[in-house]
Amino acid sequence: MPIDPNSPIEVTAFDWVPPFARGQVRDLRVRWALEEAGLSYRTRLISARERPDWYFKEQPFGQVPYYRDGAVEMFECAAIALHIAEKSEVLLPRTEPDRSRALTWLLAAMNSIDPYVMNQITCDVFAQGQEWATLRKPSQTEMLERRLGQLADALGDRDWFAGVFSVADILMVCTLRTLRNTSADIPQTLLDYVARGEARPAFKAALAAQFADFLPDPEGVPA
Amino acid sequence: MPIDPNSPIEVTAFDWVPPFARGQVRDLRVRWALEEAGLSYRTRLISARERPDWYFKEQPFGQVPYYRDGAVEMFECAAIALHIAEKSEVLLPRTEPDRSRALTWLLAAMNSIDPYVMNQITCDVFAQGQEWATLRKPSQTEMLERRLGQLADALGDRDWFAGVFSVADILMVCTLRTLRNTSADIPQTLLDYVARGEARPAFKAALAAQFADFLPDPEGVPA
């Protein structure tokens, strides 16, 4: 439904990634926010294997998503999600202290949790077998698991980090679910939290839309 | 001037850190935002060496800054800075596309630059001498320096990332200036940019206020 070739909102995504990365690329977060807000969008697909030179003029690091809506052009999934959230009370409470709580947890996802998650994925997946990664992994895993324990304590028995569901949960759920590709031990509180996020119809629609945009795997494999 | 014991805004900071970390602790970013916005604040100081148990109820990871203003209680320096920015046009443009550009670069500082910077500091300072850090350092430094080159290209000949000075620059300048403690090669474009940030009166006032809150070093050294 929110996919509409005539929508003024354009999201740039990859046309192919390896199977293990499908459902993890960060345009998912923006698609999810748009689905929650009921805003339609079209996609523009680029190659992840041969990122076109012109794309670095738009996104300096060559990453996705890139977002365009008239004169508004953005990157950084959390910035885009926050921009979308400002259009929809579903994603960002309008009153304090709920609004500032959502901002806190959005940034916590991106700066206090995601860097630990990415370092874990580096040790477990991208740098697997490299000597430094093997040596580093025990202390890295210990740091991550300590932080996940603190995060679980902070969530407690609430369903969502800002009390009500908000844009912060889109970023936090998507960050935590990438840990499935790692050896980290995830507290049950956080597994249940991720499952709550993944059960939302908007999440499911966003995930299906990301998968639908990928070329079939054999065709997408580099020659 | 913005320090005022009767201010409704309270910023929690550390009462002592080692000399190399002075001027780098993240409450600096919030102090700077408050100085730019002309908002007074008071400080509450806690020990970095023996973080009180009760503090983890407020800040789940035991870090500073923590921010309180009536019913609003926040952590994550970038979230607090953004919250302050919403009170002041000096820090966040009110119109598009400037506003979304500031959001983009704020998140770029915290999620696309800071994690690379922190990994560099880990290799160069915190884990210095550990075998994994020695093995990792060349590829880590190469990744960081490639990203800094892309960042310098993105800034080009502008003074500030969103065109006008904004909250994004507070986060980006503070992230980049921590690289002074590392061996990374920083493009001249970014060195000039950091110098522009550090030349702002509000930055200087914030830095002086952070230093003024530390116990003298000998008294602060753990027994």
Side-chain angles (χ1 to χ4, degrees):
Chain A
M1 320 190 324
I3 293 272
D4 173 358
N6 298 314
S7 170
I9 295 176
E10 180 188 85
V11 176
T12 299
F14 289 140
D15 66 1
W16 180 88
V17 294
F20 80 88
R22 295 180 179 212
Q24 298 290 358
V25 191
R26 294 189 176 207
D27 56 280
L28 178 69
R29 303 160 184 203
V30 170
R31 294 175 189 262
W32 184 2
L34 289 165
E35 294 277 356
E36 295 279 359
L39 293 170
S40 67
Y41 65 99
R42 65 182 193 274
T43 54
R44 175 181 64 160
L45 305 179
I46 63 167
S47 169
R49 288 157 289 154
E50 297 180 22
R51 300 181 200 188
D53 284 344
W54 57 259
Y55 186 61
F56 287 83
K57 303 278 183 209
E58 297 183 357
Q59 214 294 359
F61 317 121
Q63 297 175 319
V64 298
Y66 191 81
Y67 175 94
R68 183 180 283 138
D69 180 9
V72 170
E73 302 197 27
M74 302 182 75
F75 54 93
E76 296 293 334
C77 60
I80 301 167
L82 184 56
H83 174 79
I84 294 164
E86 288 178 341
K87 302 175 190 286
S88 169
E89 201 163 348
V90 178
L91 287 170
L92 190 61
R94 292 283 179 264
T95 53
E96 295 296 358
D98 293 342
R99 180 183 164 84
S100 52
R101 206 171 279 151
L103 288 183
T104 290
W105 285 108
L106 178 126
L107 265 302
M110 301 316 288
N111 195 252
S112 288
I113 303 300
D114 185 62
Y116 286 68
V117 168
M118 293 309 295
N119 281 345
Q120 190 72 28
I121 292 173
T122 298
C123 283
D124 272 347
V125 182
F126 298 123
Q128 193 186 16
Q130 293 183 38
E131 192 181 355
W132 76 261
T134 305
L135 290 167
R136 196 203 179 171
K137 192 167 150 174
S139 62
Q140 160 61 37
T141 304
E142 189 190 327
M143 280 195 305
L144 170 71
E145 291 179 351
R146 185 186 322 128
R147 188 147 284 208
L148 293 178
Q150 292 167 328
L151 187 66
D153 287 348
L155 182 60
D157 57 7
R158 285 173 299 155
D159 279 352
W160 308 109
F161 274 97
V164 294
F165 178 81
S166 76
V167 63
D169 297 300
I170 291 180
L171 281 309
M172 192 68 90
V173 165
C174 287
T175 294
L176 292 174
R177 63 191 286 282
T178 61
L179 285 171
R180 291 211 185 103
N181 287 326
T182 74
S183 58
D185 192 27
I186 307 167
Q188 189 61 43
T189 300
L190 297 181
L191 291 172
D192 293 345
Y193 167 72
V194 169
R196 271 194 297 281
E198 291 178 335
R200 291 179 74 89
F203 173 84
K204 291 179 183 171
L207 190 68
Q210 179 175 88
F211 270 84
D213 269 344
F214 291 132
L215 294 167
D217 189 41
E219 293 176 29
V221 169
Chain B
M1 321 187 325
I3 294 272
D4 172 358
N6 297 314
S7 170
I9 295 176
E10 179 188 85
V11 176
T12 299
F14 289 140
D15 67 0
W16 179 89
V17 296
F20 80 90
R22 295 180 179 211
Q24 299 291 357
V25 191
R26 293 188 178 209
D27 56 281
L28 178 68
R29 303 161 184 204
V30 170
R31 294 174 189 262
W32 185 1
L34 289 164
E35 293 276 356
E36 294 280 359
L39 294 169
S40 67
Y41 65 98
R42 65 183 194 272
T43 54
R44 175 182 63 161
L45 304 179
I46 63 167
S47 169
R49 287 158 289 155
E50 296 180 23
R51 300 182 200 190
D53 284 345
W54 58 259
Y55 187 60
F56 287 82
K57 302 278 182 210
E58 297 183 358
Q59 213 297 356
F61 317 121
Q63 297 174 320
V64 299
Y66 191 81
Y67 175 94
R68 182 180 283 136
D69 180 9
V72 170
E73 301 199 27
M74 304 182 73
F75 53 95
E76 297 294 334
C77 60
I80 300 166
L82 184 55
H83 173 79
I84 294 163
E86 288 177 341
K87 302 175 190 287
S88 168
E89 200 163 348
V90 178
L91 288 170
L92 190 62
R94 292 283 178 265
T95 53
E96 296 296 0
D98 293 342
R99 181 183 163 84
S100 52
R101 206 171 280 150
L103 288 182
T104 291
W105 285 108
L106 178 126
L107 266 301
M110 302 315 289
N111 196 252
S112 288
I113 303 299
D114 185 62
Y116 286 69
V117 168
M118 292 309 294
N119 281 345
Q120 189 72 28
I121 293 173
T122 299
C123 283
D124 273 346
V125 182
F126 297 124
Q128 194 186 15
Q130 292 183 38
E131 192 180 355
W132 77 261
T134 305
L135 289 168
R136 199 209 174 168
K137 190 167 151 176
S139 62
Q140 159 60 38
T141 305
E142 190 192 325
M143 282 195 304
L144 169 71
E145 291 180 350
R146 187 185 323 128
R147 189 146 283 208
L148 293 179
Q150 293 168 327
L151 186 66
D153 288 349
L155 181 61
D157 56 8
R158 285 174 298 155
D159 279 352
W160 308 110
F161 274 98
V164 294
F165 178 81
S166 76
V167 63
D169 297 299
I170 291 180
L171 282 309
M172 192 69 88
V173 165
C174 286
T175 295
L176 292 174
R177 63 191 286 280
T178 61
L179 285 171
R180 291 211 185 101
N181 287 326
T182 73
S183 59
D185 193 27
I186 307 167
Q188 189 61 43
T189 301
L190 298 181
L191 291 173
D192 293 345
Y193 167 72
V194 170
R196 271 195 297 282
E198 291 178 335
R200 292 179 74 88
F203 173 84
K204 291 179 184 173
L207 190 69
Q210 178 175 89
F211 271 83
D213 269 344
F214 291 131
L215 295 168
D217 189 41
E219 293 176 31
V221 169

